Structures are given as structure tokens and as C-alpha cells.
Amino acid sequence: MTQQHPSLALNDGRSIPQLGLGVWRTPADATAQAVKAALAAGYRHIDTAAIYGNEAGVGEGLRTSGVAREEVFITTKLWNAEQGLDSTLRAFDASMQLLGLDVLDLYLIHWPNPSRDLYVDTWRAFVRLQSEGRVRSIGVSNFEPEHIDRLVQETGAKPVLNQIELHPRFQQRRLREYHAANGIATQAWSPLGQGQLLEDAGIEAIAARHGKTPAQVVVRWHIEVGNVVIPKSVNPGRIAENADVFDFALDAQDMAAIAQLDQAEGRIGPNPLTAAF
Ligand code: NAD
């Protein structure tokens, strides 16, 4: 049975379903099927990006799912090579063409790329796209507080969320506190640690106690700490499993055990301060 997923309020008056399907590394020709499986399992939120090469599959999956466009929250991201005012406007049009959408729910700057110093101009293009009604909400990904502060200082426009690497081995407490203090939602990428966390003995023990799987325990942890969470799978059974997390709760002992898994060096992906690609 599918359950209605909770939503989180955004600082622009809109809201975002707390659980979504991620499609990084989902092959282009498998994307429509994965999106349809997710929508059939009750998901109402899909996370893609121009660089994933599967925006067309996301659009196709949505159109052939039987679920109304307005019920589904679609995010895509501007790739680094397109940063800058005019190039962002062109890249947005290209993404919308592939997605087959008139209006996008959320557009994100994929990485700050501080060494290129184009993210403020890029943000000005995002503000313009929003004022034209082409995108409902605008946000960032892999930004550190210093990058977000600069956007706000130079444009007056605050991102609704920051999508960052976040999982039990890399819990990002400092950044989550900054987001909370500034009314910015935290969205977790690689929420399952790209699958590596699912063999952790502590997570397995919690799962066994609740009669749930390790993936369900980790997704549930994200829900309980207040993250927006976008686990990826192409397997319809796993897609459904990852969303079947609304019939149990972690207790204080479970939360304390998961808190212990945090590691200063737990990051899997690049460091946004130095990543330049
Ligand atoms: P993830 O943490 O979601 O892990 C996905 C992997 O976990 C799968 O490939 C599969 O091997 C395994 N898995 C998933 N469900 C499972 C289950 N129920 N049982 C067993 N194994 C299971 O990793 P991810 O894809 O890196 O991250 C999720 C999404 O986050 C991406 O698809 C993408 O949308 C987004 N993302 C964004 C950025 C960014 O820079 N903004 C970077 C990476 C990922």
C-alpha cells in the first residue's frame, strides 16, 4: 500500500515532498521506467541534473505514469560548465526542452566552483527565471555557508535549500545548524552512502529490531532529522522498499547509535571548497 509522503515548508512559501527518487547514474534508457516505478510506489518528487544525461527519461516517465504533472515535484541542476548569466538562461531552456516541462519546481546550482567565481552571476539568472515564472523555487547544491552568505549579500535572494552530501557517516551537523538558523532546507545526497552504509553492523542491528531493512532505517533516520532525502535505485522492489518508511519510528537509543557513526573524514564525494570541474 502506498502512503502519502510528508512535505517540508520552504522559505518562499512553497513546499517539497520530503522523500524523492534520485537518478544519478541511472542509465538514460532505464530512467523512464525507474520514474514510473517510483510514482507508482507513491513518490511525488524526482531529482535529476543536466549532467546526468537523463532529463528526457524523467519527462517521459512522468508523462506516461498516469500521475498528473502538478502532483509531482521535479528538480534539475545547472552544470558547472554553464555557469554565468547568459549561459545559465540557455542551459535552463535546454533542460526544460528535454524534460518537456513548462514550469520547473526547483532549479539548483550544482556546485559553487569557487575558483571560477561565477556563482553569483549564475544566481542572478536563477532569480530572473523565478521572476518570469519559469521555475517555482531556486536553490543550491554543495554550497558552504560562505557561498550562501555571498549570494544573499549580493542579490538579496536566499536559496530555499542546499543539497549536500549527507548520510550517517557524514552527518554535516555544522551545515545543518547553519541551514536551520537561516531558514534553508537541508537535502541529503548519497543518503545511503551510495549503498556502503547498508552493511554497517549497527544499522543492521537496528533494522532487525524493527523488522525493517538497513536502507529503510537510513531513510527513516533522514526523515526524523528533518532532511529531504533522495535515495537512488533502478530496481522497482528497492524503490518501493526505500519509501516504505512511514509505519515505524526510530527510538532514542537508535538515534544515539546512528549519531556515533559520524566521521570527520566520512565524505565520499568531492570537497566543495576545492572541487573544480
Ligand atoms: P545513494 O546513497 O542513494 O545510494 C544508491 C545506491 O544504494 C544504489 O545504487 C544501490 O546500489 C543502493 N541501494 C539503493 N536502495 C537500496 C536498497 N533498498 N537495498 C540495497 N541497496 C540499495 O546514492 P546516490 O545515487 O549517490 O545519491 C542519491 C541521489 O542524490 C542521486 O541519485 C542524485 O539524484 C543525488 N546526488 C546529488 C549530488 C550533487 O552533487 N548534488 C551528488 C550525488 C548524488
Side-chain angles (χ1 to χ4, degrees):
M1 199 189 80
T2 62
Q3 297 132 317
Q4 185 161 7
H5 300 174
S7 287
L8 293 184
L10 299 174
N11 65 27
D12 63 358
R14 297 190 175 272
S15 62
I16 184 169
Q18 209 180 345
L19 179 64
L21 177 75
V23 296
W24 181 38
R25 291 178 174 153
T26 297
D29 61 2
T31 303
Q33 283 309 319
V35 168
K36 278 167 74 168
L39 296 176
Y43 290 64
R44 291 293 179 270
H45 168 187
I46 310 293
D47 182 87
T48 185
I51 194 69
Y52 301 169
N54 56 22
E55 289 168 310
V58 170
E60 183 192 335
L62 172 60
R63 279 189 301 281
T64 54
S65 68
V67 177
R69 158 69 186 108
E70 285 309 313
E71 283 185 35
V72 185
F73 189 104
I74 305 284
T75 301
T76 194
K77 312 183 192 87
L78 175 90
W79 186 239
N80 303 342
E82 316 296 342
Q83 283 204 24
L85 188 58
D86 293 335
S87 44
T88 295
L89 298 173
R90 281 195 299 273
F92 179 80
D93 286 342
S95 283
M96 295 299 275
Q97 187 102 37
L98 288 167
L99 287 162
L101 297 178
D102 296 326
V103 182
L104 183 68
D105 296 284
L106 177 63
Y107 201 30
L108 302 179
I109 303 181
H110 208 143
W111 291 85
N113 256 285
S115 62
R116 296 180 63 210
D117 198 19
L118 286 169
Y119 62 86
V120 177
D121 277 350
T122 304
W123 190 241
R124 291 189 210 285
F126 274 47
V127 170
R128 184 189 301 182
L129 289 167
Q130 187 182 35
S131 72
E132 291 172 354
R134 306 204 57 206
V135 54
R136 295 185 170 119
S137 295
I138 53 176
V140 294
S141 178
N142 300 300
F143 274 47
E144 292 292 322
E146 67 198 71
H147 309 130
I148 295 176
D149 289 344
R150 199 171 150 213
L151 292 185
V152 176
Q153 276 154 19
E154 296 200 24
T155 72
K158 189 188 274 191
V160 294
L161 64 71
N162 189 14
Q163 183 182 119
I164 54 172
E165 179 176 350
L166 201 176
H167 43 75
R169 287 214 184 113
F170 194 61
Q171 298 188 15
Q172 297 261 34
R173 289 202 176 91
R174 187 185 59 88
L175 206 37
R176 278 195 281 136
E177 280 165 18
Y178 168 86
H179 293 160
N182 288 281
I184 295 168
T186 299
Q187 186 169 42
W189 65 251
S190 295
L192 307 175
Q194 298 181 7
Q196 295 169 22
L197 269 166
L198 307 180
E199 284 157 24
D200 179 274
I203 301 277
E204 282 177 342
I206 295 170
R209 224 174 18 255
H210 289 280
K212 285 287 181 178
T213 67
Q216 289 169 327
V217 166
V218 177
V219 174
R220 181 72 207 178
W221 174 81
H222 285 282
I223 297 287
E224 293 193 15
V225 299
N227 299 335
V228 183
V229 55
I230 47 172
K232 177 256 179 179
S233 179
V234 290
N235 174 321
R238 286 179 170 178
I239 289 172
E241 174 188 323
N242 293 346
D244 184 13
V245 298
F246 298 107
D247 61 350
F248 79 114
L250 301 173
D251 62 24
Q253 186 191 339
D254 300 330
M255 294 303 276
I258 297 174
Q260 295 293 324
L261 300 178
D262 196 18
Q263 295 172 13
E265 305 299 325
R267 193 194 285 284
I268 299 170
N271 183 333
L273 287 172
T274 50
F277 50 86

